Amino acid sequence: MSLRELGGAEPRKLLPGATVGLLGGGQLGRMLALAGSAMGYRFVALDPAPEAPCGQVTPQITAAYNDREAARELARRSDVITYEFENVDAGVAALLAEESYVPQGSALLYTTQHRLREKAAIEAAGVPVAPYRKVGSLAELTAAAADLGLPCVLKTATGGYDGKGQAVIREAQELEAAFTQVAAGVAAPELVLEKFVAFRCEISVVAARSASGEVKSFPPAENIHVDNILHLSIVPARVPEDIQRRACELAETLIAGLDAVGLLAVELFVTEDGELFVNELAPRPHNSGHYTMDACVTSQFEQHVRAICNLPLGDTSLVTPVVMVNVLGEHLDRAVSIVYRNDEEANKLGVVPKLHIYGKTESKTGRKMGHINLLCKDTGDGLSWVEQTNLWRH
């Protein structure tokens, strides 16, 4: 499939001074704008929230994502348009692809906004996913669970993140409650049942592809979740180098096979036998790639700007081991006080904490408010710092 068939246009090289339009003005847009501004690019964001994180550092059009006039205004003010998260209105993205330069197009959005379409696309690229079945009723769920075997994970086909819109089913008697929970309020639910993969760990790879087809990937991150929210990313991942290499190859195969432009984050399960199964994709900068901001030669945000502007992709080499830890609403005040004082734990361990705050106007429990990149000689020292601060203990 060509870039034009993807809904984009022929590749263009856009040099500093050009304006990048952002569909979405959250923290990812903010960090894109900060990285791209340092390169000499201008930015404008479309987001419905007044004083969105990105709008604090760049001009903002305040309107709903499905507001077509606002989208056209974004197009008028931009030389190139990108999106900072995948749940933007695909119809608006398609409209912009017709009226503006959107090198990512809209087809990848259409694919990754729907788990069944996404899994089919991954399989078509020759990359393995965990066994799954489409489910639309309790009877279909019962039959699918008998076919796949328990435990399984039931998910909505669209929407849902950080554990929302899904349920783990371990026993047959949990099937009805899980269906009721995940399909709540939907007359004709479209769900996917995935066989639970007994994994050793979860890793992710952020790959980049420029509009002219150059591909590079960042070192894999080992990810640890708490309450279905990403807690830690550890780089280098604590898996054999062969697995790291194969994970990068899979991510590069996928981003090329999907003819994607920009970034593609590929989340993978690693089994005890060293097999890799793709869990999910995200066609944008990713939380697990935030470590690149301080620990790689090129950050994922600079790389995304390079990719959509068709510049040569930057060096993705890891400069230092790093542990990225998310800062949620309940952690924010204490995180600031710990990092911006004489941090004895960091001094003893030889750890350098780099705190990034997203500028969200309201701090809530469980809401991502920032992250800390812990630069260290060994990731064990970074993990020790997390443990000794007691900040993330519930």
Side-chain angles (χ1 to χ4, degrees), residues 109-119 134 156-159 190:
L109 269 183
Y110 176 79
T111 298
T112 56
Q113 284 177 348
H114 193 284
R115 287 187 173 90
L116 289 166
R117 291 196 292 263
E118 179 178 281
K119 289 178 184 299
K134 178 181 178 181
T156 55
T158 59
E190 194 171 15

Side-chain angles (χ1 to χ4, degrees), residues 144-357:
D147 187 20
L148 293 176
L150 296 177
C152 283
V153 184
L154 183 66
K155 299 179 180 180
T156 55
T158 59
Y161 64 95
D162 288 347
K164 299 176 179 67
Q166 61 180 265
V168 178
I169 304 168
R170 295 180 176 84
E171 305 289 342
Q173 56 264 35
E174 298 172 352
L175 289 167
E176 185 172 356
F179 183 82
T180 301
Q181 173 195 328
V182 178
V186 180
E190 194 171 15
L191 312 176
V192 55
L193 185 71
E194 301 173 1
K195 184 172 180 59
F196 189 87
V197 175
F199 57 88
R200 167 184 171 181
C201 65
E202 295 181 51
I203 63 175
S204 59
V205 176
V206 176
R209 184 173 179 270
S210 71
S212 60
E214 183 186 8
V215 174
K216 287 188 179 181
S217 58
F218 288 93
E222 177 186 349
N223 300 319
I224 297 174
H225 294 77
V226 174
D227 298 331
N228 294 309
I229 299 173
L230 181 63
H231 172 44
L232 298 169
S233 290
I234 302 163
V235 188
R238 296 172 298 181
V239 297
E241 289 186 8
D242 173 64
I243 291 176
Q244 295 186 45
R245 177 185 55 77
R246 286 193 285 121
C248 289
E249 289 173 353
L250 285 180
E252 292 174 12
T253 295
L254 274 172
I255 198 168
L258 293 169
D259 203 14
V261 173
L263 298 183
L264 183 70
V266 182
E267 300 177 18
L268 303 117
F269 295 129
V270 183
T271 71
E272 290 290 348
D273 295 333
E275 291 184 279
L276 293 171
F277 292 96
V278 174
N279 179 28
E280 290 187 342
L281 306 178
R284 53 166 171 78
H286 195 256
N287 194 175
S288 68
H290 290 350
Y291 79 87
T292 64
M293 297 173 73
D294 300 296
C296 288
V297 175
T298 305
S299 76
Q300 66 167 341
F301 299 102
E302 178 184 336
Q303 195 78 305
H304 185 76
V305 174
R306 285 176 170 271
I308 63 170
C309 292
N310 207 22
L311 304 181
L313 295 181
D315 184 348
T316 58
S317 299
L318 189 69
V319 176
T320 174
V322 58
V323 175
M324 188 284 297
V325 56
N326 272 324
V327 175
L328 306 182
E330 61 267 34
H331 310 138
L332 182 60
D333 289 343
R334 188 143 179 264
V336 171
S337 69
I338 289 172
V339 172
Y340 295 124
R341 63 168 168 77
N342 185 20
D343 189 338
E344 293 182 5
E345 290 87 356
N347 292 336
K348 288 177 185 175
L349 293 164
V351 170
V352 180
K354 296 286 189 177
L355 174 61
H356 299 264
I357 298 176

Side-chain angles (χ1 to χ4, degrees), residues 18-24 32 42-46 74-75 77-84 96 101 104 308:
T19 298
V20 179
L22 293 169
L23 269 173
L32 271 172
R42 300 173 185 270
F43 287 80
V44 58
L46 169 62
L74 181 69
R77 296 170 62 175
S78 306
D79 297 299
V80 59
I81 292 176
T82 185
Y83 40 82
E84 63 124 30
L96 290 170
Y101 178 51
Q104 292 162 285
I308 63 170

Side-chain angles (χ1 to χ4, degrees), residues 62-148:
T62 305
Y65 292 126
N66 60 359
D67 185 327
R68 300 200 166 209
E69 272 312 304
R72 289 189 172 99
E73 174 66 16
L74 181 69
R76 283 192 290 271
R77 296 170 62 175
S78 306
D79 297 299
V80 59
I81 292 176
T82 185
Y83 40 82
E84 63 124 30
F85 74 117
E86 64 267 39
N87 289 323
V88 298
D89 188 283
V92 166
L95 178 150
L96 290 170
E98 293 175 3
E99 300 189 5
S100 182
Y101 178 51
V102 187
Q104 292 162 285
S106 60
L108 189 59
L109 269 183
Y110 176 79
T111 298
T112 56
Q113 284 177 348
H114 193 284
R115 287 187 173 90
L116 289 166
R117 291 196 292 263
E118 179 178 281
K119 289 178 184 299
I122 294 169
E123 290 177 313
V127 175
V129 297
Y132 68 96
R133 297 290 184 273
K134 178 181 178 181
V135 169
S137 66
L138 179 57
E140 289 182 356
L141 172 60
T142 303
D147 187 20
L148 293 176

